[in-house]
Amino acid sequence: MFSFILPSMPTAIIVSPFYAFVQSDFVGKAIVVFLFFGSIYIWTIMIEKWTYLSRIIKASKKFKEAFRKTQGTISNFSSIKEQSPLFDIYKKGKDELLDYYNISQNDFKRYRISTTQHKLTTAQIETIRSKLEQTVSDKILELEDKMGFLATAVSVSPFFGLLGTVWGVMMAFISMAVQGKAEISGMAPGISGALLTTVVGLLVAIPSLIGYNFLSNYIRQLTVYMDNFVEEFMAKLKLEQHNDL
C-alpha cells in the first residue's frame, strides 16, 4: 500500500475589518467614523418614523370607520383616544362648520336646527374644502419630516465610501512610487483600508434605501387616506345640505 504524508496546515489567520481600519490613514479612518455615526442617526430616524407612521395608520383606519358610522358631519367622537391625521382634518372641518352655523364648540344639540336655518353657500362650501386641503398639505409636510435626510444618505454615503477608496488607493501607489518597488505585501494593507470605506458606505446606503422606500410607501398610503377623507367629508356635507333644503 501507498502512504501519503500530508503537509501540516498553516495556522488560521483571523481576518477582520478592524485590521483594514487600523491600516487606514487619517482620512480613511475619519470617513469610516463619520459613516458609522451617520448610520446610527439614520437607524434612529427610521425606527422612530416607522413606529410613528405605523401607529397613526392604525389610528386613521379606526377613525375612518367611526366617521362612516355617523349620520352627520359633526359628531363628538369621545371614544377616539388617539390622534391621527384624519381626525385633525375632521376637526378643522368641524370647527369651520361650527363657525358658519354659529354653534359653540361644546354644543352639538342645536346642530340640526341650525343647519336648516343657516344654509351654506357654494362659496362657503368651497372655502371649507380649501381649508381641508390646506390641512392635508400641512400634514404631508409633517409626515415627510427628516425624509430628505434619508434620501441624502442614500445618495451621498456611497460617494463618501468611493472617496475613501480612491484616496486610499492613491496613497498606496504614492507609497509604492516612493519605495521604488511593487510588492503585494506592502500594498495589501493600504488597499484593504481603502476598500473598507466603500464597504461601510454601502452598509449605510443600502439600509437607508430600504427604509426610505418603506417609509415613503407609508406616507403615500396616508396621503391617499387623507385625500379620500376630504372627498368623503365634503360629499357627506353636500348631501346633508341637500337633505335639509
Side-chain angles (χ1 to χ4, degrees):
M1 296 181 62
F2 295 95
S3 60
F4 296 92
I5 301 176
L6 297 177
S8 59
M9 299 298 294
T11 305
I13 300 175
I14 299 176
V15 180
S16 171
F18 183 73
Y19 172 80
F21 178 78
V22 172
Q23 297 300 320
S24 302
D25 61 1
F26 174 77
V27 175
K29 291 179 180 178
I31 292 176
V32 170
V33 171
F34 173 76
L35 291 174
F36 174 75
F37 284 104
S39 178
I40 295 176
Y41 182 64
I42 289 169
W43 275 100
T44 303
I45 293 176
M46 290 192 296
I47 293 173
E48 289 179 351
K49 294 287 288 186
W50 179 80
T51 303
Y52 172 71
L53 292 175
S54 299
R55 176 171 54 84
I56 63 175
I57 284 177
K58 294 179 181 178
S60 296
K61 290 179 179 178
K62 183 178 180 180
F63 178 78
K64 181 175 64 176
E65 293 175 358
F67 179 78
R68 288 178 175 176
K69 295 178 181 178
T70 60
Q71 296 295 326
T73 51
I74 294 182
S75 298
N76 192 6
F77 291 115
S78 58
S79 61
I80 302 298
K81 302 299 182 182
E82 193 168 10
Q83 295 288 342
S84 68
L86 265 62
F87 180 81
D88 294 337
I89 295 170
Y90 161 79
K91 187 175 183 302
K92 183 63 177 180
K94 183 197 73 173
D95 293 342
E96 292 294 323
L97 284 174
L98 292 180
D99 289 340
Y100 284 133
Y101 295 151
N102 295 319
I103 303 176
S104 63
Q105 294 287 335
N106 297 322
D107 186 10
F108 300 144
K109 294 182 179 180
R110 292 170 33 229
Y111 172 64
R112 280 292 175 184
I113 299 175
S114 297
T115 54
T116 60
Q117 296 176 351
H118 303 283
K119 305 304 299 180
L120 296 178
T121 64
T122 303
Q124 289 174 329
I125 292 177
E126 291 303 317
T127 300
I128 292 176
R129 175 186 288 277
S130 177
K131 294 290 185 180
L132 296 182
E133 291 177 348
Q134 290 176 11
T135 305
V136 171
S137 299
D138 293 339
K139 290 299 175 182
I140 292 175
L141 291 177
E142 292 179 10
L143 295 175
E144 292 181 345
D145 181 42
K146 297 181 180 179
M147 291 296 291
F149 182 84
L150 290 181
T152 302
V154 171
S155 303
V156 173
S157 297
F159 287 102
F160 270 107
L162 180 61
L163 172 63
T165 298
V166 174
W167 175 270
V169 171
M170 180 185 68
M171 296 304 295
F173 276 101
I174 292 176
S175 176
M176 181 180 64
V178 171
Q179 295 176 4
K181 57 182 179 179
E183 296 180 354
I184 190 64
S185 59
M187 294 183 59
I191 297 297
S192 63
L195 294 176
L196 177 65
T197 57
T198 297
V199 173
V200 175
L202 292 176
L203 290 177
V204 175
I206 293 174
S208 301
L209 178 60
I210 296 174
Y212 178 82
N213 289 335
F214 272 105
L215 295 176
S216 296
N217 183 60
Y218 281 155
I219 294 175
R220 284 193 297 268
Q221 185 176 349
L222 280 168
T223 301
V224 172
Y225 283 170
M226 291 188 290
D227 290 337
N228 290 343
F229 181 77
V230 171
E231 296 300 325
E232 189 172 346
F233 184 93
M234 295 306 301
K236 183 176 286 191
L237 175 61
K238 291 178 181 179
L239 181 62
E240 190 177 59
Q241 289 284 308
H242 177 74
N243 292 337
D244 284 339
L245 290 175

